[in-house]
Amino acid sequence: MKRQSFSDMLFYALALRAVSSEASPAFDGKHRTQHGWPHHWHGNSSDSAAASTETLVTTTHAGVLTTTSVVTSTTRSKTRAAHTSPSEAVVDTESFTLAGTSAAATVASTGEFLSSTASPLPFKAGLSGFVGVTSKSAFNDLKPYISWYSDYTPTTSDTDGVKGIPMLWGDGVSCGSSSGDAERMAAFDNLTTNPDFMFGFYEPDCNCPASSNMSSADGTSVWNQKLAPLASKGTLLGSPSMCKQYSENWLTPFSVDATTGKSLLLAEWQYTSIHINKNNVQGVMKDVGYYWTKYQKPVWVSEFACVDDVNEFVPCTNQTEIDQFISDAVDFFASNASVIAFGPSNGEGLGTVWPLIDSSTGKLTATGMAYLNKLKSL
């Protein structure tokens, strides 16, 4: 499959904003609000067919967009989208309804877009890795089936056709020497090229050393000083990723003036980067639904893992449970239009069964094989 221009993500985001949907149930109140584990240290669809849009029928599941279309005469192929002029969208966060005045995109029942003009990545699947992950045999096994990977540094490079997604982890000072944050900031400041993508801060809503621990005001200042200039040169920015999942209260004061309602950011993020730590697909849907409906931007699941987070942060240990979770979560991510990318976490603090890559051999574990086989089945 031909890789599309990465700048097309902008059109993707605009198109998603303008697709209308029906109301869906609100979220329940049970959730884990934070976790303390150093995982940042570690380191499809249908074949071609004739089609053109006549009508759109849109529904939601747990607040997440799924749209089907009645079509008659253009070309239909996987992970691609057609666009008209975008319209303003209104979000009701109480009932999780997204409403627009006109349809700007046609979406297949699988959630994939339909034209050759806007595909940010040839596949949604990726890997949240660690420094040196590309040298492991596990990466070699996964690379035919993934489009992107991350390693929590600002200098993540493309490898063998897999897009490296860099990150500005923190502000360089809040976490001191315990997290390597100062070194990451120095590397960011020494960048000589403009990356296609850049993730924002790593879990600034939780404490060091596992997370970057920044106030929303400090985050705004660093974003405008460091990341906004990249956006002016064409980099597509991902939001800071939240530790507290769908109970986060950081992104709004970071981005919007509470008095005036105007944006505080010199450059907006184009996609919302989120972390999901749940042990069932219903929890996954709630996290995605929250971010999609509240911020109305494409969702990039930059980490997901099987964790019971209702009362404590307890990584899954049963391989059968993990395999089922991977299958269900990947099916949801791959089929839903509001998710543009997803990748499992492979860090510390996730027990001995979840990590996808064996730290001593560099080979895929049973969990890694479950992910690989699921991707092969798409």
Side-chain angles (χ1 to χ4, degrees):
M1 183 185 298
K2 180 180 178 182
R3 293 179 183 268
Q4 303 298 319
S5 167
F6 291 101
S7 63
D8 285 335
M9 173 87 80
L10 291 170
F11 295 102
Y12 197 156
L14 290 172
L16 277 174
R17 283 175 60 95
V19 181
S20 63
S21 75
E22 298 172 357
S24 67
F27 302 150
D28 65 34
K30 295 186 71 176
H31 52 268
R32 171 75 168 166
T33 59
Q34 72 176 49
H35 56 270
W37 43 284
H39 51 295
H40 62 281
W41 287 353
H42 44 69
N44 314 331
S45 296
S46 54
D47 296 328
S48 294
S52 80
T53 306
E54 289 184 349
T55 60
L56 291 175
V57 180
T58 305
T59 59
T60 59
H61 190 148
V64 186
L65 177 71
T66 303
T67 305
T68 56
S69 58
V70 178
V71 289
T72 62
S73 111
T74 338
T75 300
R76 173 175 174 176
S77 56
K78 67 181 180 180
T79 62
R80 297 179 176 181
H83 307 288
T84 59
S85 300
S87 67
E88 287 299 316
V90 178
V91 63
D92 173 0
T93 56
E94 292 299 317
S95 60
F96 301 100
T97 300
L98 183 69
T101 57
S102 68
T106 302
V107 185
S109 58
T110 60
E112 299 293 350
F113 283 102
L114 301 182
S115 107
S116 60
T117 60
S119 177
L121 298 164
F123 314 112
K124 292 183 180 184
L127 177 68
S128 174
F130 48 84
V131 174
V133 69
T134 57
S135 67
K136 307 300 182 183
S137 63
F139 186 86
N140 194 58
D141 293 335
L142 286 168
K143 70 183 181 183
Y145 306 98
I146 62 175
S147 282
W148 68 274
Y149 80 100
S150 64
D151 64 4
Y152 302 87
T153 75
T155 56
T156 313
S157 61
D158 298 352
T159 301
D160 296 336
V162 180
K163 193 72 181 171
I165 312 297
M167 172 191 296
L168 180 57
W169 191 86
D171 61 8
V173 295
S174 293
C175 289
S177 60
S178 62
S179 64
D181 192 17
E183 291 78 6
R184 291 188 183 100
M185 181 59 77
F188 178 90
D189 288 338
N190 288 328
L191 288 174
T192 57
T193 58
N194 222 58
D196 291 313
F197 296 103
M198 177 71 76
F199 287 142
F201 315 123
Y202 188 87
E203 299 186 348
D205 57 331
C206 279
N207 295 332
C208 304
S211 303
S212 63
N213 192 34
M214 302 164 63
S215 69
S216 56
D218 286 345
T220 304
S221 177
V222 177
W223 178 280
N224 287 338
Q225 180 184 0
K226 301 290 185 178
L227 291 172
L230 290 182
S232 69
K233 299 174 183 177
T235 296
L236 299 175
L237 300 177
S239 72
S241 54
M242 298 291 101
C243 160
K244 297 180 182 179
Q245 302 181 80
Y246 64 81
S247 64
E248 66 87 18
N249 58 2
W250 195 93
L251 281 173
T252 296
F254 158 76
S255 58
V256 179
D257 187 295
T259 302
T260 66
K262 294 181 178 180
S263 177
L264 296 169
L265 306 179
L266 298 181
E268 301 295 326
W269 69 82
Q270 279 79 41
Y271 49 96
T272 305
S273 172
I274 76 169
H275 294 170
I276 297 176
N277 295 290
K278 295 289 185 288
N279 62 353
N280 56 66
V281 74
Q282 291 77 21
V284 171
M285 289 177 177
K286 288 179 180 181
D287 278 339
V288 171
Y290 166 79
Y291 286 98
W292 164 247
T293 55
K294 184 165 186 177
Y295 298 108
Q296 302 180 57
K297 295 182 180 181
V299 172
W300 189 312
V301 183
S302 51
E303 284 187 3
F304 74 92
C306 185
V307 175
D308 180 353
D309 72 335
V310 174
N311 297 310
E312 300 290 339
F313 189 86
V314 181
C316 300
T317 58
N318 182 283
Q319 191 66 58
T320 300
E321 178 187 18
I322 287 173
D323 293 353
Q324 188 64 55
F325 173 77
I326 288 173
S327 181
D328 292 346
V330 169
D331 280 341
F332 173 72
F333 296 145
S335 67
N336 197 273
S338 47
V339 176
I340 56 169
F342 62 87
S345 177
N346 194 67
E348 297 178 5
L350 290 171
T352 59
V353 185
W354 171 263
L356 283 74
I357 301 175
D358 188 291
S359 60
S360 59
T361 67
K363 296 180 179 180
L364 288 172
T365 62
T367 298
M369 287 301 303
Y371 184 56
L372 173 61
N373 290 333
K374 184 62 183 179
L375 296 184
K376 286 181 177 181
S377 74
L378 295 179

mmCIF file of all heavy atoms in Angstrom, residues 278-280 306-308 315-328 354:
data_model
loop_
_atom_site.group_PDB
_atom_site.id
_atom_site.type_symbol
_atom_site.label_atom_id
_atom_site.label_comp_id
_atom_site.label_asym_id
_atom_site.label_seq_id
_atom_site.Cartn_x
_atom_site.Cartn_y
_atom_site.Cartn_z
ATOM 1 N N LYS A 278 -6.785 -0.615 31.144
ATOM 2 C CA LYS A 278 -8.054 -1.250 31.490
ATOM 3 C C LYS A 278 -7.909 -2.749 31.245
ATOM 4 O O LYS A 278 -6.956 -3.201 30.603
ATOM 5 C CB LYS A 278 -9.187 -0.688 30.621
ATOM 6 C CG LYS A 278 -9.485 0.795 30.859
ATOM 7 C CD LYS A 278 -10.133 1.000 32.207
ATOM 8 C CE LYS A 278 -10.569 2.433 32.443
ATOM 9 N NZ LYS A 278 -9.427 3.351 32.662
ATOM 10 N N ASN A 279 -8.872 -3.531 31.713
ATOM 11 C CA ASN A 279 -8.815 -4.970 31.473
ATOM 12 C C ASN A 279 -10.033 -5.499 30.731
ATOM 13 O O ASN A 279 -10.279 -6.702 30.689
ATOM 14 C CB ASN A 279 -8.624 -5.743 32.773
ATOM 15 C CG ASN A 279 -9.781 -5.560 33.750
ATOM 16 O OD1 ASN A 279 -10.676 -4.751 33.511
ATOM 17 N ND2 ASN A 279 -9.765 -6.312 34.846
ATOM 18 N N ASN A 280 -10.804 -4.587 30.121
ATOM 19 C CA ASN A 280 -11.923 -5.011 29.284
ATOM 20 C C ASN A 280 -12.212 -3.931 28.251
ATOM 21 O O ASN A 280 -11.842 -2.765 28.425
ATOM 22 C CB ASN A 280 -13.170 -5.305 30.129
ATOM 23 C CG ASN A 280 -13.576 -4.128 30.991
ATOM 24 O OD1 ASN A 280 -13.976 -3.090 30.486
ATOM 25 N ND2 ASN A 280 -13.460 -4.285 32.317
ATOM 26 N N CYS A 306 -3.230 -4.162 29.605
ATOM 27 C CA CYS A 306 -4.258 -4.863 30.364
ATOM 28 C C CYS A 306 -3.985 -4.677 31.856
ATOM 29 O O CYS A 306 -3.006 -5.218 32.393
ATOM 30 C CB CYS A 306 -4.248 -6.350 30.008
ATOM 31 S SG CYS A 306 -5.588 -7.298 30.777
ATOM 32 N N VAL A 307 -4.831 -3.888 32.496
ATOM 33 C CA VAL A 307 -4.656 -3.532 33.908
ATOM 34 C C VAL A 307 -6.025 -3.439 34.571
ATOM 35 O O VAL A 307 -6.948 -2.831 34.020
ATOM 36 C CB VAL A 307 -3.926 -2.175 34.054
ATOM 37 C CG1 VAL A 307 -3.860 -1.756 35.516
ATOM 38 C CG2 VAL A 307 -2.541 -2.232 33.445
ATOM 39 N N ASP A 308 -6.172 -4.024 35.732
ATOM 40 C CA ASP A 308 -7.349 -3.803 36.561
ATOM 41 C C ASP A 308 -7.093 -2.539 37.374
ATOM 42 O O ASP A 308 -6.306 -2.540 38.323
ATOM 43 C CB ASP A 308 -7.578 -5.001 37.480
ATOM 44 C CG ASP A 308 -8.810 -4.838 38.372
ATOM 45 O OD1 ASP A 308 -9.407 -3.748 38.380
ATOM 46 O OD2 ASP A 308 -9.145 -5.809 39.080
ATOM 47 N N PRO A 315 -1.644 -5.052 37.146
ATOM 48 C CA PRO A 315 -1.476 -5.603 35.797
ATOM 49 C C PRO A 315 -2.066 -7.002 35.690
ATOM 50 O O PRO A 315 -2.026 -7.792 36.639
ATOM 51 C CB PRO A 315 0.045 -5.631 35.622
ATOM 52 C CG PRO A 315 0.565 -4.622 36.585
ATOM 53 C CD PRO A 315 -0.358 -4.686 37.757
ATOM 54 N N CYS A 316 -2.619 -7.319 34.535
ATOM 55 C CA CYS A 316 -3.169 -8.653 34.305
ATOM 56 C C CYS A 316 -2.050 -9.691 34.304
ATOM 57 O O CYS A 316 -0.945 -9.427 33.821
ATOM 58 C CB CYS A 316 -3.897 -8.685 32.964
ATOM 59 S SG CYS A 316 -5.269 -7.521 32.840
ATOM 60 N N THR A 317 -2.349 -10.860 34.816
ATOM 61 C CA THR A 317 -1.352 -11.930 34.876
ATOM 62 C C THR A 317 -1.811 -13.201 34.179
ATOM 63 O O THR A 317 -1.009 -14.114 33.960
ATOM 64 C CB THR A 317 -1.019 -12.281 36.337
ATOM 65 O OG1 THR A 317 -2.224 -12.664 37.019
ATOM 66 C CG2 THR A 317 -0.397 -11.089 37.047
ATOM 67 N N ASN A 318 -3.076 -13.278 33.834
ATOM 68 C CA ASN A 318 -3.604 -14.465 33.174
ATOM 69 C C ASN A 318 -3.465 -14.306 31.665
ATOM 70 O O ASN A 318 -4.019 -13.367 31.075
ATOM 71 C CB ASN A 318 -5.071 -14.670 33.557
ATOM 72 C CG ASN A 318 -5.671 -15.905 32.938
ATOM 73 O OD1 ASN A 318 -6.009 -15.909 31.759
ATOM 74 N ND2 ASN A 318 -5.817 -16.949 33.742
ATOM 75 N N GLN A 319 -2.717 -15.192 31.023
ATOM 76 C CA GLN A 319 -2.447 -15.037 29.597
ATOM 77 C C GLN A 319 -3.714 -15.106 28.755
ATOM 78 O O GLN A 319 -3.858 -14.382 27.762
ATOM 79 C CB GLN A 319 -1.453 -16.099 29.116
ATOM 80 C CG GLN A 319 -0.910 -15.843 27.717
ATOM 81 C CD GLN A 319 -0.053 -14.583 27.644
ATOM 82 O OE1 GLN A 319 0.940 -14.461 28.344
ATOM 83 N NE2 GLN A 319 -0.442 -13.637 26.797
ATOM 84 N N THR A 320 -4.647 -15.948 29.141
ATOM 85 C CA THR A 320 -5.903 -16.036 28.397
ATOM 86 C C THR A 320 -6.661 -14.716 28.454
ATOM 87 O O THR A 320 -7.202 -14.241 27.449
ATOM 88 C CB THR A 320 -6.781 -17.168 28.955
ATOM 89 O OG1 THR A 320 -6.074 -18.413 28.838
ATOM 90 C CG2 THR A 320 -8.097 -17.258 28.199
ATOM 91 N N GLU A 321 -6.696 -14.107 29.640
ATOM 92 C CA GLU A 321 -7.351 -12.799 29.791
ATOM 93 C C GLU A 321 -6.646 -11.747 28.938
ATOM 94 O O GLU A 321 -7.293 -10.932 28.267
ATOM 95 C CB GLU A 321 -7.337 -12.373 31.259
ATOM 96 C CG GLU A 321 -7.965 -11.004 31.501
ATOM 97 C CD GLU A 321 -7.817 -10.504 32.925
ATOM 98 O OE1 GLU A 321 -6.954 -11.037 33.659
ATOM 99 O OE2 GLU A 321 -8.547 -9.585 33.313
ATOM 100 N N ILE A 322 -5.330 -11.752 28.959
ATOM 101 C CA ILE A 322 -4.552 -10.785 28.180
ATOM 102 C C ILE A 322 -4.810 -10.968 26.684
ATOM 103 O O ILE A 322 -5.023 -9.987 25.946
ATOM 104 C CB ILE A 322 -3.051 -10.928 28.495
ATOM 105 C CG1 ILE A 322 -2.754 -10.364 29.887
ATOM 106 C CG2 ILE A 322 -2.197 -10.235 27.442
ATOM 107 C CD1 ILE A 322 -1.344 -10.610 30.367
ATOM 108 N N ASP A 323 -4.780 -12.199 26.216
ATOM 109 C CA ASP A 323 -5.000 -12.458 24.792
ATOM 110 C C ASP A 323 -6.374 -11.974 24.352
ATOM 111 O O ASP A 323 -6.520 -11.377 23.276
ATOM 112 C CB ASP A 323 -4.867 -13.950 24.499
ATOM 113 C CG ASP A 323 -3.462 -14.476 24.695
ATOM 114 O OD1 ASP A 323 -2.544 -13.663 24.929
ATOM 115 O OD2 ASP A 323 -3.270 -15.717 24.621
ATOM 116 N N GLN A 324 -7.382 -12.204 25.184
ATOM 117 C CA GLN A 324 -8.733 -11.758 24.839
ATOM 118 C C GLN A 324 -8.821 -10.237 24.847
ATOM 119 O O GLN A 324 -9.472 -9.634 23.983
ATOM 120 C CB GLN A 324 -9.749 -12.344 25.815
ATOM 121 C CG GLN A 324 -11.202 -12.081 25.407
ATOM 122 C CD GLN A 324 -11.553 -12.758 24.094
ATOM 123 O OE1 GLN A 324 -11.388 -13.956 23.948
ATOM 124 N NE2 GLN A 324 -12.028 -11.980 23.129
ATOM 125 N N PHE A 325 -8.167 -9.620 25.836
ATOM 126 C CA PHE A 325 -8.160 -8.157 25.906
ATOM 127 C C PHE A 325 -7.520 -7.565 24.652
ATOM 128 O O PHE A 325 -8.041 -6.607 24.063
ATOM 129 C CB PHE A 325 -7.400 -7.698 27.152
ATOM 130 C CG PHE A 325 -7.208 -6.214 27.222
ATOM 131 C CD1 PHE A 325 -8.245 -5.376 27.606
ATOM 132 C CD2 PHE A 325 -5.980 -5.643 26.900
ATOM 133 C CE1 PHE A 325 -8.069 -3.993 27.668
ATOM 134 C CE2 PHE A 325 -5.791 -4.264 26.958
ATOM 135 C CZ PHE A 325 -6.842 -3.442 27.341
ATOM 136 N N ILE A 326 -6.388 -8.106 24.236
ATOM 137 C CA ILE A 326 -5.728 -7.614 23.029
ATOM 138 C C ILE A 326 -6.647 -7.756 21.820
ATOM 139 O O ILE A 326 -6.808 -6.814 21.026
ATOM 140 C CB ILE A 326 -4.403 -8.358 22.792
ATOM 141 C CG1 ILE A 326 -3.363 -7.919 23.830
ATOM 142 C CG2 ILE A 326 -3.872 -8.122 21.372
ATOM 143 C CD1 ILE A 326 -2.070 -8.715 23.785
ATOM 144 N N SER A 327 -7.269 -8.918 21.683
ATOM 145 C CA SER A 327 -8.153 -9.148 20.541
ATOM 146 C C SER A 327 -9.314 -8.163 20.524
ATOM 147 O O SER A 327 -9.609 -7.538 19.497
ATOM 148 C CB SER A 327 -8.672 -10.586 20.578
ATOM 149 O OG SER A 327 -9.515 -10.846 19.479
ATOM 150 N N ASP A 328 -9.961 -7.977 21.664
ATOM 151 C CA ASP A 328 -11.113 -7.081 21.739
ATOM 152 C C ASP A 328 -10.707 -5.626 21.530
ATOM 153 O O ASP A 328 -11.382 -4.877 20.811
ATOM 154 C CB ASP A 328 -11.799 -7.228 23.092
ATOM 155 C CG ASP A 328 -12.470 -8.581 23.280
ATOM 156 O OD1 ASP A 328 -12.646 -9.311 22.281
ATOM 157 O OD2 ASP A 328 -12.798 -8.915 24.441
ATOM 158 N N TRP A 354 2.415 -9.202 30.897
ATOM 159 C CA TRP A 354 2.001 -8.278 29.842
ATOM 160 C C TRP A 354 3.125 -7.866 28.892
ATOM 161 O O TRP A 354 2.887 -7.808 27.677
ATOM 162 C CB TRP A 354 1.350 -7.020 30.418
ATOM 163 C CG TRP A 354 1.127 -5.995 29.328
ATOM 164 C CD1 TRP A 354 1.934 -4.938 29.009
ATOM 165 C CD2 TRP A 354 0.074 -5.988 28.363
ATOM 166 N NE1 TRP A 354 1.447 -4.250 27.913
ATOM 167 C CE2 TRP A 354 0.297 -4.894 27.499
ATOM 168 C CE3 TRP A 354 -1.048 -6.801 28.141
ATOM 169 C CZ2 TRP A 354 -0.564 -4.579 26.440
ATOM 170 C CZ3 TRP A 354 -1.902 -6.487 27.086
ATOM 171 C CH2 TRP A 354 -1.655 -5.388 26.249
#
